Amino acid sequence: MAFQNIGLVFGAAILGYSNLSLALDPVDPNAPAAYFATTTPTNATYVVAMNFVQNGDIYIHMHSSTSCSWFGVSIGDQMDGAAMMVAYKAANGSGVVTSVRRASHGRSEPVWMGDRDPEGPRNKPIFTDQYAPAANTAKKGGIQISHGLCRNCSSFGSMKLDYTSKQQPFIFAIGPESKLESDELDAPLRRHDFYGHFTIDMTVSTSNSSTTYGRVPAPNLPEANGAVADSLFATQGASEVIDGHEDSEWALPAHAALMCLALILVFPLGALLLRILQSVLCHGIAQVVGVLFVLVGFGLGVHLSHHYNRSRDFNSGHQVLGLIIFATIFIQLGLGIIHHLIYRRTKQPTIISKIHLVLGPLLILLALINGGLGFNLAENHHDNIPYGIVVAVVAIIFIAIRLWLLFKRRPSSYRPDRESLEAYKTFGPGYQDIQTPVSAGSAAHHFGFEMGTHNTAGRQPAPRRGDTNRPALVVKTYSRRKTGV
């Protein structure tokens, strides 16, 4: 008999471990609950129903359209410091994972608290409920349901529950239409697409019993019997949406667009303008515009990094390489300015110009690689394909123009540093050759004033100051020969 009792206890323990709904305390099928339902401007549905127990537990049901990447609810009237129940699709795409998080960094992605606090909140999913047979599942093109018990959730976060309040504040949020499928409790979240406030009458949704716990509210009107369509779910014991807002992740595409414009288009275009127009001014203007784009894009990137758990520590490959590229861009700009100032004074090439010429293409190459890392960090892996296509097209166009310039200019390339003056010659009847050495700096003077004179043959003027090292040029002049006529 004793062995039978031990066997029953052991079997119940195994059964309770395998099915969390059996491991929970007894439920009260008549427990009070509050229901909140709304539809977003994009026609996504969001529903939350809660039964509160005075020991700090919350029986909670949430669901939203499967088009939403995640959905959640929180105690309080502000995000900063709030405790949040966040749900999203599991890795198989048909299940739902729910994690308890805390917005500990202001208006940014909430952080999963993990197991660091043994007295902290815990979510226990309930899979068997006659009122919610599809609990914790997601149906493609339908809804995704989070259904369970949040242990110790009422005293977690910056806002405490007041069981006597008729207007207890709550906030809710719905993620954008992007793919999120993960079994991890700290899966990365995108910025919410819609959020707002509502209040609940705690006097009609709180279980006062200390021995019998409330059940998870059914995903339908409380007066309906059994499982019914989710479309029957309506607001009851709660307010309508208060201060609902549409939201967007505008800073992320702006950061990507500015960086791509600067590093894929503006900087290469500036290099081409120097070759095509032979204009240092146009080259400099284009590069300064590119630097301004980088400055704004970098600022947006830093702003974004503080909003997400995956980037808050600035230790990802995209961020580390981005910081190196950002610093190198200003080094490259400084090298270009210094070389230009030295060249204007000396008219001689410098080692700085060679470093500038090598560093520029290397900088662009690293930036293109970093762009792909950035899309991965933002969880936009599919954007790497169009990004790669754009980079390839621009690279082909740039290389084609450079080759065209190379072959077009090769026969008669204008190189001021290699240009040399030629001797000036005039021809006429009755003239004889008289060679007059002329310095390069005074060639025009001899050509204009000594050509054709008889008494200047063989005379070489003294070189002017500064012209002593210039190559002497020979100017042929002619004097009239007597014919004896």
Side-chain angles (χ1 to χ4, degrees):
M1 188 68 176
F3 288 105
Q4 287 182 334
N5 291 336
I6 294 174
L8 289 174
V9 172
F10 184 70
I14 295 176
L15 206 55
Y17 179 79
S18 62
N19 190 336
L20 290 176
S21 65
L22 298 179
L24 299 175
D25 295 288
V27 298
D28 179 6
N30 299 314
Y35 303 80
F36 169 78
T38 188
T39 302
T40 71
T42 57
N43 293 322
T45 61
Y46 174 76
V47 171
V48 60
M50 289 182 280
N51 164 245
F52 305 94
V53 186
Q54 289 187 350
N55 70 343
D57 295 343
I58 302 175
Y59 288 84
I60 182 171
H61 165 93
M62 285 192 299
H63 74 247
S64 76
S65 304
T66 51
S67 58
C68 304
S69 54
W70 60 271
F71 52 101
V73 67
S74 173
I75 302 170
D77 56 1
Q78 61 181 1
M79 185 174 179
D80 190 12
M84 307 187 74
M85 293 283 293
V86 180
Y88 39 85
K89 287 183 284 293
N92 58 13
S94 59
V96 172
V97 173
T98 305
S99 67
V100 184
R101 305 190 179 200
R102 184 172 184 174
S104 56
H105 296 277
R107 296 174 62 89
S108 60
E109 181 185 1
V111 179
W112 177 60
M113 301 307 294
D115 300 326
R116 286 172 286 182
D117 183 5
E119 301 298 326
R122 297 287 186 276
N123 177 68
K124 294 180 177 291
I126 298 177
F127 296 93
T128 304
D129 192 317
Q130 60 175 325
Y131 299 102
N136 301 296
T137 63
K139 184 178 181 181
K140 188 176 182 180
I143 63 171
Q144 47 190 343
I145 300 173
S146 170
H147 202 68
L149 169 63
C150 186
R151 296 282 196 191
N152 304 323
C153 285
S154 63
S155 59
F156 175 64
S158 60
M159 191 71 172
K160 311 301 180 185
L161 284 177
D162 181 0
Y163 295 107
T164 64
S165 174
K166 292 189 175 184
Q167 291 184 327
Q168 171 68 45
F170 288 84
I171 59 175
F172 73 95
I174 302 172
E177 294 187 11
S178 61
K179 186 177 181 181
L180 172 57
E181 296 179 354
S182 175
D183 292 333
E184 303 298 327
L185 294 175
D186 58 348
L189 307 178
R190 298 290 295 271
R191 186 179 180 90
H192 40 54
D193 189 60
F194 186 77
Y195 67 95
H197 302 76
F198 66 94
T199 62
I200 284 182
D201 186 350
M202 300 294 292
T203 63
V204 301
S205 56
T206 301
S207 295
N208 298 320
S209 173
S210 59
T211 56
T212 304
Y213 286 46
R215 63 172 174 79
V216 178
N220 49 261
L221 288 175
E223 58 267 19
N225 295 321
V228 296
D230 297 290
S231 59
L232 296 179
F233 216 142
T235 297
Q236 181 170 303
S239 69
E240 300 293 333
V241 176
I242 301 172
D243 197 24
H245 287 280
E246 288 186 86
D247 198 11
S248 62
E249 208 171 29
W250 64 269
L252 182 60
H255 166 75
L258 287 171
M259 288 302 195
C260 288
L261 278 174
L263 297 163
I264 297 178
L265 183 62
V266 178
F267 286 151
L269 179 61
L272 287 178
L273 288 177
L274 182 62
R275 304 297 179 182
I276 296 174
L277 302 180
Q278 295 289 317
S279 171
V280 175
L281 178 62
C282 292
H283 171 72
I285 291 174
Q287 305 309 72
V288 169
V289 170
V291 169
L292 292 177
F293 282 2
V294 169
L295 274 173
V296 178
F298 180 80
L300 290 174
V302 173
H303 168 76
L304 283 167
S305 296
H306 290 294
H307 281 210
Y308 296 96
N309 299 329
R310 58 187 177 274
S311 58
R312 190 170 288 122
D313 296 330
F314 287 87
N315 56 4
S316 68
H318 173 71
Q319 292 169 302
V320 173
L321 186 56
L323 290 171
I324 295 173
I325 293 172
F326 181 73
T328 308
I329 285 175
F330 286 92
I331 294 174
Q332 175 75 344
L333 180 64
L335 291 175
I337 294 174
I338 293 172
H339 163 70
H340 179 65
L341 294 176
I342 295 175
Y343 186 80
R344 287 186 62 183
R345 188 177 72 253
T346 65
K347 303 300 181 183
Q348 297 294 327
T350 65
I351 187 65
I352 295 177
S353 67
K354 295 180 180 180
I355 297 175
H356 185 76
L357 289 174
V358 173
L359 187 59
L362 178 61
L363 186 62
I364 296 297
L365 178 61
L366 291 177
L368 296 180
I369 295 173
N370 202 40
L373 296 177
F375 286 116
N376 291 337
L377 179 63
E379 301 292 327
N380 289 333
H381 307 281
H382 57 279
D383 288 340
N384 274 319
I385 296 177
Y387 171 74
I389 293 173
V390 171
V391 169
V393 170
V394 173
I396 291 173
I397 294 174
F398 179 83
I399 294 173
I401 293 175
R402 289 291 286 119
L403 291 175
W404 177 75
L405 289 172
L406 178 64
F407 287 104
K408 178 178 182 297
R409 297 171 63 86
R410 177 173 291 179
S412 58
S413 179
Y414 175 70
R415 295 292 301 273
D417 55 326
R418 294 184 181 178
E419 184 181 24
S420 59
L421 296 177
E422 294 182 356
Y424 297 89
K425 298 180 179 180
T426 59
F427 301 91
Y431 282 79
Q432 66 179 359
D433 292 350
I434 302 177
Q435 296 187 353
T436 306
V438 183
S439 65
S442 58
H445 172 74
H446 285 275
F447 179 76
F449 294 98
E450 298 188 17
M451 186 71 68
T453 58
H454 298 279
N455 57 357
T456 59
R459 191 179 71 186
Q460 180 175 353
R464 292 182 302 171
R465 178 174 298 179
D467 294 336
T468 56
N469 294 326
R470 297 189 180 186
L473 299 179
V474 177
V475 177
K476 294 183 179 181
T477 60
Y478 300 83
S479 62
R480 188 177 300 278
R481 185 172 57 238
K482 291 183 180 181
T483 58
V485 180

